[in-house]
Structure formats: structure tokens, C-alpha cells
Amino acid sequence: MSSKPSILLDFSLLKTNRAFRAVFCARFISIVALGLMAIAIPVQIQALTGSTLQVGLAVTLAGGGMFAGLLMGGVLADRYERRRLILFARSTCGVGFVGLCLNALLPSPSLAAIYLLAVWDGFFGAVGVTALLAATPALVGRENIVQAGAISMLTVRFGSILSPAIGGLVIAHMGIAWNYGLAAFGTLLTLLPLLSLPQLMPPPQPREHPLRALAGGFAFLFQNKVIGMVALIGALLTMASAVRVLYPAMAESWHIDAAHLGYMYAAVPLGAAIGAFTSGRVAHVARPGWVMLLTAIAAFAAIGMFGLMPWYSLALLCLVAFGYLSALNSLLQYGLIQSLTPDNFLGRINGLWTAQNVVGDALGALLLGAMGAFMLPAMSASGFGFGAALLGILLLFAMTGLRQVTLHKPEPQNEAQPASEK
């Protein structure tokens, strides 16, 4: 008689799978290196120009480079050997970090160079991420994909917490150039474990113009109702996470200080880390699509309740709950995407799925910000959350295929005939 799986995350994959262990080490170092750059660029531009507009422009340009890299990286990952593409992208990112370091050492650093290199690193960083996502099922096996995703999620969360703290200390005591230099050195270190990966060839497929190949990815996403709905739920959750744009205005109604405002920003990541750490049974649910829809509805409801809370402490708990439910939902999204997408589409679908995070966050921030301009911030959060929950309930009843779907390996499919829901 087999025992029930533990609720806690199983880390055994790091011990038993050498390739995944290499990816884990490289990913953690890479996240820290990218975090160093992410804090250094705004600090340097603010020091050079004193303009928050210029800082915002740099962040926007880097995001645009990342978006383009995710789309192009998906096409490349379905066409070229993925290990080589990962190594090329990481090496090219390192060149960008070196350029930022040398520019920072100049008596008068070039603002245009910072903008250009921010786009450069955003683009090639995204290409590497997309290729790595496409290669993961081959490295760990589709039966282990949710476990690998949960471990990766924890890596991202802890790396995102550590890197700003490290970057701030380096800037304070050593200067901006050292920050970029350490980011470049960290990128070099990521190449060492990645060199041990096996060759990761995509399935043979016809050569075609990159834009036509990308259009094929969009066609698969829209014609496969299960994969398309998974991406839609992911986009809605990403939009809901943009509720953070309302935090400063809502903090005024609670009369809290900057420290307590900081706790609001930390609440969702904390909930997500707890969700990843206690996700041991997620890979074993019989109906992952059903659970994904339920956790999405509950997450949206948590945002709706957040807007109604009259007390700061209860609002904080709602944000933690949203982070927890979003993490479980993201793992189910990841498992369904990786398990149900044929290998010849993995690059493009992973690129599009990741790109919707960039677009969804921007659209969510714009929508919630606009709602906050016409009504009380609390009502904006509540209206958006409960509205999204209602949409989730409608999808729950309408999407029979998604409710019944199970995790399995798809049969290879011809690119001209995208799968549709049975």
C-alpha cells in the first residue's frame, strides 16, 4: 500500500538528475547576476540624470527587449540545438554586462550605451530562458515537470530576494562598476554547469520564415483550447498581480508608514514561496485543469477581499493568500504547458506563455491604475478581483476539456495541424 505524497516539496530531483542539478545551479547564479543589473541600471541613471522618467524609460526598453527575445527565442528553440542556444545567449548577456561595467568606469558614462545594453541583455536573457524552458522536459522527463517547476520557482523567489540586497551593498561600498562586473562574472560562472548538459536537438521540422514560424505558434495556441485557456488564466493572474500599483494609495487610508508599505510588497512573494515549498502533491492531482481553475477563482477572490478589508493586517493576509494560490496555479500552468505541448512547439509556446507575463503585468498596471483614477483604490482592487473571479467561474463551467484534462505526453503533431480540444 503506497503512502500519500508529502505536502512538502520533494528536492530529490536535484540528487538524482545531474542535468537538472546543473540547470539549478546555473539558474540561481543567473538570477542573482540579473538582479545585480536590475538594481544597478536604475541607480546609475538616476545618479546621472536625476530623472525618474529616464529611469522608467530604461526599464521599459529592457522589458521591450525581453518581450522580443521571448518571441524570437521560441522560434530559435524550435529550430536549433537548444544547449548551444542556451550557451550562446548566456555568453552574449555576459558581453553586455562587461560593456555596462566598462561604461560605468568612464569619466562620463554614456546614457545611450546604458539604454542599448539594457535592451541587449533583456533580449538575449529572454532567448536563453525560452530555450531552457523548451529543453526542460527532455532533461527531467515530463513525469517530473511539476516538481522541477516548483524547485525552479523557489530558486527564482530566493534569488530575487537576495540579489537586490547584495546589489545595494555592492553599490554602497564598492560602486556601480563593481555591480556590473560581478554580474558579468556570475554569468561566466553559469556557463560552467551548463557545459555539462547533453545535446538537446529539437524535432526535425520544415524551414520557414521566422515570422511564419511564430504565426504557427500563435495558431497552435489559439486552436488548442486547453493550452489557450491555460495561457488566458495565466494572463489574468498576471494582471491581478499588478494590484501592487494601488498599494501606496491604499496605504494612506490605513495611515501606515513606509516599512508597513514594504510588507505589502513582500506579502505576495512570501505567499508564492510558501506555495512552492508546500507543493509536493500538486504533481499528483487527478484533474490539474480543474484544480487550476479553482485556484484561479480563489486567487481572484483574495484580491477582491483585499480591497474590502478595513484592517491592514487582514489585507496583508489576503495578499499572502493570493501569492500562495497564484504559485500553485502557476505550477499547474507550467505542468500542463510542458506536458501537453508537442516537442516541436515547445520553444514557441513557452516563449508566448512567458511573454504573456510581461504583457499581462503592463496591461494590469494600466487598467488598475486607470480604475484607481476614477474610483477609490480599494474599490478598484475589489472590482477587478471579483470581476475576474466571476469570469473564472464562467470558464469553469464552459471549459469541459480543461476540467477533464490529465497530464500526459502528447503525440508529435504536424505543424500545419494544431491540436484542438477533444
Side-chain angles (χ1 to χ4, degrees):
M1 183 175 178
S2 60
S3 59
K4 288 184 179 181
S6 171
I7 192 174
L8 299 180
L9 177 60
D10 181 7
F11 290 92
S12 61
L13 200 60
L14 290 172
K15 181 179 180 181
T16 59
N17 191 305
R18 180 183 176 186
F20 181 69
R21 188 164 61 247
V23 169
F24 173 84
C25 294
R27 189 176 178 87
F28 182 77
I29 298 171
S30 176
I31 289 168
V32 174
L34 289 172
L36 293 176
M37 184 199 74
I39 190 173
I41 286 180
V43 169
Q44 186 181 20
I45 292 179
Q46 184 67 31
L48 290 174
T49 67
S51 169
T52 55
L53 176 61
Q54 298 274 30
V55 173
L57 177 60
V59 173
T60 301
L61 289 174
M66 182 182 297
F67 181 77
L70 289 169
L71 298 184
M72 182 56 67
V75 173
L76 296 175
D78 285 338
R79 179 174 296 187
Y80 298 105
E81 199 269 315
R82 290 163 180 171
R83 173 182 177 272
R84 184 177 300 175
L85 185 59
I86 293 167
L87 292 171
F88 169 76
R90 295 308 306 144
S91 302
T92 310
C93 269
V95 172
F97 292 144
V98 171
L100 286 166
C101 179
L102 295 176
N103 182 60
L105 291 171
L106 295 175
S108 299
S110 168
L111 189 61
I114 299 173
Y115 287 143
L116 176 63
L117 292 170
V119 175
W120 173 284
D121 284 318
F123 179 85
F124 287 105
V127 169
V129 166
T130 307
L132 186 57
L133 286 171
T136 301
L139 292 174
V140 304
R142 297 195 188 229
E143 69 279 3
N144 296 317
I145 202 68
V146 175
Q147 181 186 359
I151 295 173
S152 297
M153 181 182 290
L154 270 182
T155 307
V156 171
R157 294 299 177 185
F158 285 122
S160 300
I161 292 170
L162 284 175
S163 55
I166 295 172
L169 289 173
V170 171
I171 292 173
H173 296 284
M174 303 170 72
I176 292 286
W178 272 94
N179 209 304
Y180 293 133
L182 288 174
F185 180 69
T187 302
L188 173 64
L189 290 181
T190 66
L191 299 178
L192 301 180
L194 292 175
L195 285 170
S196 66
L197 295 180
Q199 193 176 47
L200 299 163
M201 291 295 299
Q205 49 190 309
R207 295 285 177 173
E208 55 187 351
H209 192 278
L211 291 180
R212 186 172 181 180
L214 182 60
F218 274 106
F220 177 88
L221 186 65
F222 286 111
Q223 293 181 39
N224 186 306
K225 295 180 181 178
V226 170
I227 299 296
M229 283 300 104
V230 170
L232 175 61
I233 292 295
L236 289 172
L237 276 171
T238 304
M239 290 177 67
S241 68
V243 71
R244 64 185 183 278
V245 302
L246 301 175
Y247 291 173
M250 295 182 71
E252 294 179 2
S253 65
W254 289 313
H255 306 290
I256 60 175
D257 57 20
H260 287 83
L261 177 60
Y263 296 152
M264 292 176 68
Y265 284 101
V268 173
L270 173 63
I274 295 172
F277 191 68
T278 58
S279 63
R281 295 180 184 173
V282 172
H284 305 281
V285 296
R287 292 288 183 264
W290 171 266
V291 178
M292 189 194 76
L293 286 165
L294 290 179
T295 53
I297 293 168
F300 296 139
I303 291 298
M305 293 299 296
F306 163 73
L308 295 180
M309 288 297 106
W311 297 290
Y312 166 78
S313 57
L314 292 180
L316 213 59
L317 287 177
C318 289
L319 292 177
V320 172
F322 173 75
Y324 175 83
L325 293 163
S326 295
L328 298 183
N329 193 281
S330 295
L331 288 175
L332 290 166
Q333 291 177 44
Y334 179 73
L336 289 168
I337 291 285
Q338 299 291 62
S339 298
L340 302 180
T341 303
D343 196 39
N344 57 318
F345 278 99
L346 269 173
R348 281 163 289 176
I349 296 304
N350 272 295
L352 292 172
W353 177 62
T354 309
Q356 58 87 15
N357 290 326
V358 179
V359 176
D361 188 64
L363 289 178
L366 181 63
L367 177 60
L368 284 162
M371 291 174 66
F374 291 100
M375 62 181 74
L376 292 174
M379 295 303 298
S380 300
S382 183
F384 182 90
F386 287 127
L390 177 60
L391 177 59
I393 292 172
L394 295 176
L395 292 175
L396 179 68
F397 286 102
M399 291 306 302
T400 305
L402 183 56
R403 292 202 313 267
Q404 297 178 351
V405 73
T406 58
L407 296 174
H408 66 277
K409 183 175 181 178
E411 295 297 324
Q413 299 181 27
N414 187 287
E415 186 153 359
Q417 298 176 328
S420 62
E421 185 185 22
K422 294 181 180 179

PDB file of all heavy atoms in Angstrom, residues 105-133:
ATOM      1  N   LEU A 105      32.942  52.789 -15.809  1.00  0.00           N
ATOM      2  CA  LEU A 105      34.282  53.220 -15.410  1.00  0.00           C
ATOM      3  C   LEU A 105      34.734  54.486 -16.130  1.00  0.00           C
ATOM      4  O   LEU A 105      35.740  55.090 -15.743  1.00  0.00           O
ATOM      5  CB  LEU A 105      35.297  52.100 -15.682  1.00  0.00           C
ATOM      6  CG  LEU A 105      35.173  50.847 -14.787  1.00  0.00           C
ATOM      7  CD1 LEU A 105      36.079  49.743 -15.303  1.00  0.00           C
ATOM      8  CD2 LEU A 105      35.498  51.193 -13.342  1.00  0.00           C
ATOM      9  N   LEU A 106      34.005  54.900 -17.164  1.00  0.00           N
ATOM     10  CA  LEU A 106      34.365  56.108 -17.901  1.00  0.00           C
ATOM     11  C   LEU A 106      34.144  57.355 -17.044  1.00  0.00           C
ATOM     12  O   LEU A 106      33.243  57.371 -16.189  1.00  0.00           O
ATOM     13  CB  LEU A 106      33.539  56.210 -19.183  1.00  0.00           C
ATOM     14  CG  LEU A 106      33.756  55.135 -20.249  1.00  0.00           C
ATOM     15  CD1 LEU A 106      32.762  55.317 -21.396  1.00  0.00           C
ATOM     16  CD2 LEU A 106      35.195  55.160 -20.766  1.00  0.00           C
ATOM     17  N   PRO A 107      34.916  58.412 -17.287  1.00  0.00           N
ATOM     18  CA  PRO A 107      34.691  59.662 -16.539  1.00  0.00           C
ATOM     19  C   PRO A 107      33.285  60.206 -16.732  1.00  0.00           C
ATOM     20  O   PRO A 107      32.683  60.750 -15.806  1.00  0.00           O
ATOM     21  CB  PRO A 107      35.748  60.616 -17.121  1.00  0.00           C
ATOM     22  CG  PRO A 107      36.798  59.723 -17.685  1.00  0.00           C
ATOM     23  CD  PRO A 107      36.091  58.492 -18.164  1.00  0.00           C
ATOM     24  N   SER A 108      32.746  60.044 -17.951  1.00  0.00           N
ATOM     25  CA  SER A 108      31.371  60.471 -18.243  1.00  0.00           C
ATOM     26  C   SER A 108      30.637  59.308 -18.918  1.00  0.00           C
ATOM     27  O   SER A 108      30.644  59.189 -20.155  1.00  0.00           O
ATOM     28  CB  SER A 108      31.355  61.701 -19.154  1.00  0.00           C
ATOM     29  OG  SER A 108      32.007  62.793 -18.541  1.00  0.00           O
ATOM     30  N   PRO A 109      30.016  58.437 -18.147  1.00  0.00           N
ATOM     31  CA  PRO A 109      29.334  57.280 -18.736  1.00  0.00           C
ATOM     32  C   PRO A 109      28.260  57.689 -19.729  1.00  0.00           C
ATOM     33  O   PRO A 109      27.588  58.711 -19.571  1.00  0.00           O
ATOM     34  CB  PRO A 109      28.715  56.590 -17.515  1.00  0.00           C
ATOM     35  CG  PRO A 109      29.539  57.041 -16.356  1.00  0.00           C
ATOM     36  CD  PRO A 109      29.950  58.448 -16.678  1.00  0.00           C
ATOM     37  N   SER A 110      28.123  56.901 -20.789  1.00  0.00           N
ATOM     38  CA  SER A 110      27.156  57.185 -21.849  1.00  0.00           C
ATOM     39  C   SER A 110      25.772  56.668 -21.468  1.00  0.00           C
ATOM     40  O   SER A 110      25.603  55.475 -21.201  1.00  0.00           O
ATOM     41  CB  SER A 110      27.608  56.535 -23.160  1.00  0.00           C
ATOM     42  OG  SER A 110      26.567  56.565 -24.121  1.00  0.00           O
ATOM     43  N   LEU A 111      24.794  57.568 -21.460  1.00  0.00           N
ATOM     44  CA  LEU A 111      23.424  57.176 -21.163  1.00  0.00           C
ATOM     45  C   LEU A 111      22.861  56.306 -22.282  1.00  0.00           C
ATOM     46  O   LEU A 111      22.150  55.320 -22.027  1.00  0.00           O
ATOM     47  CB  LEU A 111      22.565  58.425 -20.983  1.00  0.00           C
ATOM     48  CG  LEU A 111      21.137  58.228 -20.456  1.00  0.00           C
ATOM     49  CD1 LEU A 111      21.158  57.600 -19.072  1.00  0.00           C
ATOM     50  CD2 LEU A 111      20.395  59.558 -20.442  1.00  0.00           C
ATOM     51  N   ALA A 112      23.214  56.639 -23.536  1.00  0.00           N
ATOM     52  CA  ALA A 112      22.734  55.859 -24.680  1.00  0.00           C
ATOM     53  C   ALA A 112      23.246  54.422 -24.612  1.00  0.00           C
ATOM     54  O   ALA A 112      22.524  53.480 -24.945  1.00  0.00           O
ATOM     55  CB  ALA A 112      23.181  56.523 -25.986  1.00  0.00           C
ATOM     56  N   ALA A 113      24.493  54.262 -24.154  1.00  0.00           N
ATOM     57  CA  ALA A 113      25.059  52.914 -24.030  1.00  0.00           C
ATOM     58  C   ALA A 113      24.311  52.097 -22.985  1.00  0.00           C
ATOM     59  O   ALA A 113      24.083  50.899 -23.156  1.00  0.00           O
ATOM     60  CB  ALA A 113      26.538  53.005 -23.666  1.00  0.00           C
ATOM     61  N   ILE A 114      23.900  52.732 -21.899  1.00  0.00           N
ATOM     62  CA  ILE A 114      23.141  52.026 -20.859  1.00  0.00           C
ATOM     63  C   ILE A 114      21.806  51.550 -21.419  1.00  0.00           C
ATOM     64  O   ILE A 114      21.400  50.402 -21.213  1.00  0.00           O
ATOM     65  CB  ILE A 114      22.918  52.934 -19.637  1.00  0.00           C
ATOM     66  CG1 ILE A 114      24.261  53.346 -19.025  1.00  0.00           C
ATOM     67  CG2 ILE A 114      22.069  52.214 -18.588  1.00  0.00           C
ATOM     68  CD1 ILE A 114      24.130  54.375 -17.922  1.00  0.00           C
ATOM     69  N   TYR A 115      21.121  52.436 -22.149  1.00  0.00           N
ATOM     70  CA  TYR A 115      19.853  52.051 -22.769  1.00  0.00           C
ATOM     71  C   TYR A 115      20.050  50.870 -23.730  1.00  0.00           C
ATOM     72  O   TYR A 115      19.302  49.885 -23.710  1.00  0.00           O
ATOM     73  CB  TYR A 115      19.250  53.228 -23.530  1.00  0.00           C
ATOM     74  CG  TYR A 115      18.682  54.317 -22.662  1.00  0.00           C
ATOM     75  CD1 TYR A 115      18.798  55.656 -23.022  1.00  0.00           C
ATOM     76  CD2 TYR A 115      18.005  54.024 -21.485  1.00  0.00           C
ATOM     77  CE1 TYR A 115      18.265  56.665 -22.239  1.00  0.00           C
ATOM     78  CE2 TYR A 115      17.472  55.027 -20.694  1.00  0.00           C
ATOM     79  CZ  TYR A 115      17.611  56.339 -21.076  1.00  0.00           C
ATOM     80  OH  TYR A 115      17.076  57.335 -20.290  1.00  0.00           O
ATOM     81  N   LEU A 116      21.048  50.993 -24.587  1.00  0.00           N
ATOM     82  CA  LEU A 116      21.294  49.967 -25.596  1.00  0.00           C
ATOM     83  C   LEU A 116      21.615  48.622 -24.956  1.00  0.00           C
ATOM     84  O   LEU A 116      21.075  47.579 -25.345  1.00  0.00           O
ATOM     85  CB  LEU A 116      22.433  50.413 -26.513  1.00  0.00           C
ATOM     86  CG  LEU A 116      22.883  49.394 -27.577  1.00  0.00           C
ATOM     87  CD1 LEU A 116      21.739  49.123 -28.545  1.00  0.00           C
ATOM     88  CD2 LEU A 116      24.110  49.913 -28.327  1.00  0.00           C
ATOM     89  N   LEU A 117      22.488  48.647 -23.954  1.00  0.00           N
ATOM     90  CA  LEU A 117      22.907  47.402 -23.326  1.00  0.00           C
ATOM     91  C   LEU A 117      21.804  46.810 -22.447  1.00  0.00           C
ATOM     92  O   LEU A 117      21.741  45.591 -22.255  1.00  0.00           O
ATOM     93  CB  LEU A 117      24.183  47.629 -22.511  1.00  0.00           C
ATOM     94  CG  LEU A 117      25.428  47.942 -23.363  1.00  0.00           C
ATOM     95  CD1 LEU A 117      26.586  48.383 -22.491  1.00  0.00           C
ATOM     96  CD2 LEU A 117      25.824  46.711 -24.188  1.00  0.00           C
ATOM     97  N   ALA A 118      20.911  47.651 -21.922  1.00  0.00           N
ATOM     98  CA  ALA A 118      19.764  47.135 -21.183  1.00  0.00           C
ATOM     99  C   ALA A 118      18.847  46.344 -22.108  1.00  0.00           C
ATOM    100  O   ALA A 118      18.352  45.259 -21.752  1.00  0.00           O
ATOM    101  CB  ALA A 118      18.999  48.284 -20.525  1.00  0.00           C
ATOM    102  N   VAL A 119      18.620  46.881 -23.318  1.00  0.00           N
ATOM    103  CA  VAL A 119      17.822  46.162 -24.314  1.00  0.00           C
ATOM    104  C   VAL A 119      18.538  44.878 -24.732  1.00  0.00           C
ATOM    105  O   VAL A 119      17.925  43.807 -24.851  1.00  0.00           O
ATOM    106  CB  VAL A 119      17.559  47.051 -25.539  1.00  0.00           C
ATOM    107  CG1 VAL A 119      16.846  46.264 -26.632  1.00  0.00           C
ATOM    108  CG2 VAL A 119      16.734  48.272 -25.153  1.00  0.00           C
ATOM    109  N   TRP A 120      19.852  44.972 -24.948  1.00  0.00           N
ATOM    110  CA  TRP A 120      20.685  43.831 -25.342  1.00  0.00           C
ATOM    111  C   TRP A 120      20.532  42.683 -24.342  1.00  0.00           C
ATOM    112  O   TRP A 120      20.249  41.540 -24.717  1.00  0.00           O
ATOM    113  CB  TRP A 120      22.133  44.306 -25.430  1.00  0.00           C
ATOM    114  CG  TRP A 120      23.188  43.268 -25.674  1.00  0.00           C
ATOM    115  CD1 TRP A 120      23.685  42.380 -24.764  1.00  0.00           C
ATOM    116  CD2 TRP A 120      23.894  43.029 -26.895  1.00  0.00           C
ATOM    117  NE1 TRP A 120      24.656  41.605 -25.330  1.00  0.00           N
ATOM    118  CE2 TRP A 120      24.809  41.979 -26.636  1.00  0.00           C
ATOM    119  CE3 TRP A 120      23.860  43.601 -28.155  1.00  0.00           C
ATOM    120  CZ2 TRP A 120      25.679  41.489 -27.613  1.00  0.00           C
ATOM    121  CZ3 TRP A 120      24.726  43.113 -29.128  1.00  0.00           C
ATOM    122  CH2 TRP A 120      25.619  42.070 -28.859  1.00  0.00           C
ATOM    123  N   ASP A 121      20.728  42.982 -23.063  1.00  0.00           N
ATOM    124  CA  ASP A 121      20.677  41.939 -22.044  1.00  0.00           C
ATOM    125  C   ASP A 121      19.260  41.419 -21.838  1.00  0.00           C
ATOM    126  O   ASP A 121      19.059  40.234 -21.556  1.00  0.00           O
ATOM    127  CB  ASP A 121      21.252  42.457 -20.726  1.00  0.00           C
ATOM    128  CG  ASP A 121      22.772  42.520 -20.747  1.00  0.00           C
ATOM    129  OD1 ASP A 121      23.389  41.578 -21.268  1.00  0.00           O
ATOM    130  OD2 ASP A 121      23.344  43.503 -20.246  1.00  0.00           O
ATOM    131  N   GLY A 122      18.263  42.304 -21.960  1.00  0.00           N
ATOM    132  CA  GLY A 122      16.881  41.843 -21.862  1.00  0.00           C
ATOM    133  C   GLY A 122      16.540  40.869 -22.975  1.00  0.00           C
ATOM    134  O   GLY A 122      15.907  39.832 -22.742  1.00  0.00           O
ATOM    135  N   PHE A 123      16.990  41.172 -24.191  1.00  0.00           N
ATOM    136  CA  PHE A 123      16.697  40.326 -25.345  1.00  0.00           C
ATOM    137  C   PHE A 123      17.366  38.968 -25.228  1.00  0.00           C
ATOM    138  O   PHE A 123      16.712  37.918 -25.312  1.00  0.00           O
ATOM    139  CB  PHE A 123      17.147  41.028 -26.631  1.00  0.00           C
ATOM    140  CG  PHE A 123      16.921  40.220 -27.882  1.00  0.00           C
ATOM    141  CD1 PHE A 123      15.689  40.266 -28.518  1.00  0.00           C
ATOM    142  CD2 PHE A 123      17.918  39.423 -28.407  1.00  0.00           C
ATOM    143  CE1 PHE A 123      15.462  39.521 -29.681  1.00  0.00           C
ATOM    144  CE2 PHE A 123      17.705  38.670 -29.554  1.00  0.00           C
ATOM    145  CZ  PHE A 123      16.477  38.716 -30.190  1.00  0.00           C
ATOM    146  N   PHE A 124      18.688  38.953 -25.038  1.00  0.00           N
ATOM    147  CA  PHE A 124      19.412  37.678 -25.032  1.00  0.00           C
ATOM    148  C   PHE A 124      19.136  36.870 -23.761  1.00  0.00           C
ATOM    149  O   PHE A 124      19.163  35.636 -23.792  1.00  0.00           O
ATOM    150  CB  PHE A 124      20.908  37.917 -25.227  1.00  0.00           C
ATOM    151  CG  PHE A 124      21.256  38.305 -26.632  1.00  0.00           C
ATOM    152  CD1 PHE A 124      21.583  39.614 -26.948  1.00  0.00           C
ATOM    153  CD2 PHE A 124      21.233  37.368 -27.647  1.00  0.00           C
ATOM    154  CE1 PHE A 124      21.889  39.993 -28.248  1.00  0.00           C
ATOM    155  CE2 PHE A 124      21.529  37.725 -28.961  1.00  0.00           C
ATOM    156  CZ  PHE A 124      21.868  39.041 -29.256  1.00  0.00           C
ATOM    157  N   GLY A 125      18.863  37.559 -22.656  1.00  0.00           N
ATOM    158  CA  GLY A 125      18.458  36.836 -21.457  1.00  0.00           C
ATOM    159  C   GLY A 125      17.168  36.074 -21.691  1.00  0.00           C
ATOM    160  O   GLY A 125      17.021  34.921 -21.272  1.00  0.00           O
ATOM    161  N   ALA A 126      16.213  36.700 -22.386  1.00  0.00           N
ATOM    162  CA  ALA A 126      14.934  36.054 -22.683  1.00  0.00           C
ATOM    163  C   ALA A 126      15.102  34.886 -23.655  1.00  0.00           C
ATOM    164  O   ALA A 126      14.433  33.858 -23.530  1.00  0.00           O
ATOM    165  CB  ALA A 126      13.955  37.079 -23.252  1.00  0.00           C
ATOM    166  N   VAL A 127      15.999  35.032 -24.630  1.00  0.00           N
ATOM    167  CA  VAL A 127      16.275  33.926 -25.558  1.00  0.00           C
ATOM    168  C   VAL A 127      16.774  32.703 -24.791  1.00  0.00           C
ATOM    169  O   VAL A 127      16.326  31.569 -25.024  1.00  0.00           O
ATOM    170  CB  VAL A 127      17.311  34.355 -26.618  1.00  0.00           C
ATOM    171  CG1 VAL A 127      17.799  33.147 -27.418  1.00  0.00           C
ATOM    172  CG2 VAL A 127      16.720  35.398 -27.560  1.00  0.00           C
ATOM    173  N   GLY A 128      17.691  32.925 -23.845  1.00  0.00           N
ATOM    174  CA  GLY A 128      18.220  31.818 -23.056  1.00  0.00           C
ATOM    175  C   GLY A 128      17.164  31.164 -22.188  1.00  0.00           C
ATOM    176  O   GLY A 128      17.106  29.934 -22.079  1.00  0.00           O
ATOM    177  N   VAL A 129      16.307  31.973 -21.578  1.00  0.00           N
ATOM    178  CA  VAL A 129      15.234  31.441 -20.722  1.00  0.00           C
ATOM    179  C   VAL A 129      14.283  30.573 -21.537  1.00  0.00           C
ATOM    180  O   VAL A 129      13.888  29.471 -21.117  1.00  0.00           O
ATOM    181  CB  VAL A 129      14.468  32.589 -20.043  1.00  0.00           C
ATOM    182  CG1 VAL A 129      13.163  32.087 -19.438  1.00  0.00           C
ATOM    183  CG2 VAL A 129      15.325  33.237 -18.965  1.00  0.00           C
ATOM    184  N   THR A 130      13.898  31.042 -22.721  1.00  0.00           N
ATOM    185  CA  THR A 130      12.966  30.294 -23.562  1.00  0.00           C
ATOM    186  C   THR A 130      13.565  28.960 -23.992  1.00  0.00           C
ATOM    187  O   THR A 130      12.889  27.921 -23.962  1.00  0.00           O
ATOM    188  CB  THR A 130      12.588  31.113 -24.802  1.00  0.00           C
ATOM    189  OG1 THR A 130      12.128  32.401 -24.392  1.00  0.00           O
ATOM    190  CG2 THR A 130      11.506  30.427 -25.592  1.00  0.00           C
ATOM    191  N   ALA A 131      14.825  28.966 -24.399  1.00  0.00           N
ATOM    192  CA  ALA A 131      15.487  27.723 -24.804  1.00  0.00           C
ATOM    193  C   ALA A 131      15.577  26.748 -23.633  1.00  0.00           C
ATOM    194  O   ALA A 131      15.389  25.537 -23.798  1.00  0.00           O
ATOM    195  CB  ALA A 131      16.882  28.030 -25.356  1.00  0.00           C
ATOM    196  N   LEU A 132      15.841  27.259 -22.448  1.00  0.00           N
ATOM    197  CA  LEU A 132      15.938  26.404 -21.268  1.00  0.00           C
ATOM    198  C   LEU A 132      14.580  25.799 -20.918  1.00  0.00           C
ATOM    199  O   LEU A 132      14.485  24.612 -20.567  1.00  0.00           O
ATOM    200  CB  LEU A 132      16.479  27.211 -20.082  1.00  0.00           C
ATOM    201  CG  LEU A 132      16.784  26.430 -18.808  1.00  0.00           C
ATOM    202  CD1 LEU A 132      17.785  25.310 -19.071  1.00  0.00           C
ATOM    203  CD2 LEU A 132      17.332  27.368 -17.733  1.00  0.00           C
ATOM    204  N   LEU A 133      13.518  26.584 -21.002  1.00  0.00           N
ATOM    205  CA  LEU A 133      12.178  26.056 -20.746  1.00  0.00           C
ATOM    206  C   LEU A 133      11.816  24.957 -21.745  1.00  0.00           C
ATOM    207  O   LEU A 133      11.233  23.932 -21.370  1.00  0.00           O
ATOM    208  CB  LEU A 133      11.149  27.183 -20.816  1.00  0.00           C
ATOM    209  CG  LEU A 133      11.106  28.164 -19.639  1.00  0.00           C
ATOM    210  CD1 LEU A 133      10.191  29.335 -19.960  1.00  0.00           C
ATOM    211  CD2 LEU A 133      10.642  27.463 -18.374  1.00  0.00           C
TER     212      LEU A 133
END
